[in-house]
Amino acid sequence: MGFANSACSFTRFRILDPVPTELWSQIPDKLKQFAFRDIDDIPEMQAQGWVCYEDMLDTEWVTAPPQKGAYIVFSLRFDIRRIPAGVIKKHLAVALRDEKNRMNEQGKTFISRERKKELKEQVMLRLRARFLPIPSEFNVLWSIDRNEVWFASTQNKMIDLFVEEFLKTFELKLEQLTPYNLADSMLDEESLARLDQLEATQFAPLS
């Protein structure tokens, strides 16, 4: 789901650091520098990076530039290989059985921990070559005037990944706009102190 859909869940952030004036002209190059790199043909388990908002296959922003008036829009693409645990268990068992047969022919019976680890790594490499990564896309909307960034996901894992990638790319720290943080930005010290003294209301009946 993204911002172009009729309904969308998203997380709001504010930028904590001052945004250098020269950054605005550098954004297209920075997005390309940290753009998504495909892992279909290499045995990596996951990959992430920026892509064009209009086309998740476009990592050069040929389709459209990221600037849209008072907004910067792009997407975070995240690809991950998901190999079922049962598949891993089966192929590891086959590899261990074959290893035991080879060792029996040599008059040996014990498989060392290091060899088991090596066999598992070999099994994982073979399986990675057989399972294509699953792609996903999460839209990003950066409001220049409001100094806010909206990210089209509420998953904690994706939020953490997005904040990390944003900092790496633009060298700007983000703070999630939780209800308390919003209140902190709107209230004076006296009102905020009263807010800190409030206790949660118990709606469930007491047993």
Side-chain angles (χ1 to χ4, degrees):
M1 302 294 285
F3 293 123
N5 297 88
S6 59
C8 174
S9 297
F10 60 90
T11 305
R12 293 171 59 191
F13 301 88
R14 62 181 172 190
I15 301 174
L16 297 178
D17 302 315
V19 180
T21 304
E22 62 271 16
L23 176 63
W24 303 119
S25 61
Q26 298 171 356
I27 285 178
D29 290 334
K30 286 185 175 292
L31 287 172
K32 292 176 185 177
Q33 179 183 355
F34 295 95
F36 178 81
R37 300 289 180 260
D38 209 302
I39 59 170
D40 283 2
D41 299 323
I42 58 176
E44 297 293 330
M45 284 300 291
Q46 69 177 53
Q48 64 276 338
W50 311 119
V51 295
C52 179
Y53 178 88
E54 287 81 2
D55 182 1
M56 67 179 287
L57 301 179
D58 184 358
T59 57
E60 294 292 332
W61 280 261
V62 175
T63 308
Q67 296 91 342
K68 303 286 191 281
Y71 299 90
I72 305 293
V73 294
F74 48 97
S75 295
L76 176 66
R77 179 172 165 182
F78 178 67
D79 283 21
I80 185 169
R81 280 185 168 87
R82 291 193 175 94
I83 306 173
V87 173
I88 297 173
K89 183 179 179 180
K90 170 199 168 183
H91 285 268
L92 182 56
V94 171
L96 288 171
R97 182 196 63 190
D98 293 344
E99 181 71 10
K100 287 178 180 178
N101 291 337
R102 283 192 294 268
M103 293 184 68
N104 288 336
E105 292 174 359
Q106 301 172 4
K108 301 177 183 178
T109 58
F110 178 73
I111 304 177
S112 68
R113 181 181 300 177
E114 290 75 17
R115 180 55 180 162
K116 289 181 180 179
K117 181 179 179 182
E118 182 181 346
L119 287 171
K120 184 174 182 179
E121 290 174 351
Q122 293 174 358
V123 166
M124 291 302 298
L125 282 174
R126 289 198 298 270
L127 291 177
R128 288 177 189 179
R130 297 172 62 179
F131 283 79
L132 288 174
I134 302 170
S136 53
E137 177 189 12
F138 304 88
N139 295 155
V140 181
L141 189 152
W142 182 347
S143 175
I144 298 172
D145 297 337
R146 300 176 63 176
N147 211 39
E148 286 187 7
V149 178
W150 296 8
F151 179 58
S153 177
T154 56
Q155 302 174 38
N156 290 332
K157 177 182 177 181
M158 292 311 306
I159 290 173
D160 292 342
L161 180 63
F162 167 66
V163 170
E164 179 181 339
E165 290 295 310
F166 194 91
L167 175 61
K168 181 172 69 176
T169 305
F170 304 111
E171 298 180 1
L172 297 172
K173 296 184 181 69
L174 295 176
E175 179 183 62
Q176 187 172 340
L177 282 175
T178 62
Y180 182 86
N181 287 338
L182 279 171
D184 185 26
S185 66
M186 299 168 62
L187 300 177
D188 55 32
E189 291 185 7
E190 182 180 348
S191 300
L192 191 60
R194 291 202 302 270
L195 178 64
D196 288 336
Q197 295 173 3
L198 293 178
E199 296 183 2
T201 301
Q202 174 65 260
F203 291 101
L206 297 176
S207 56

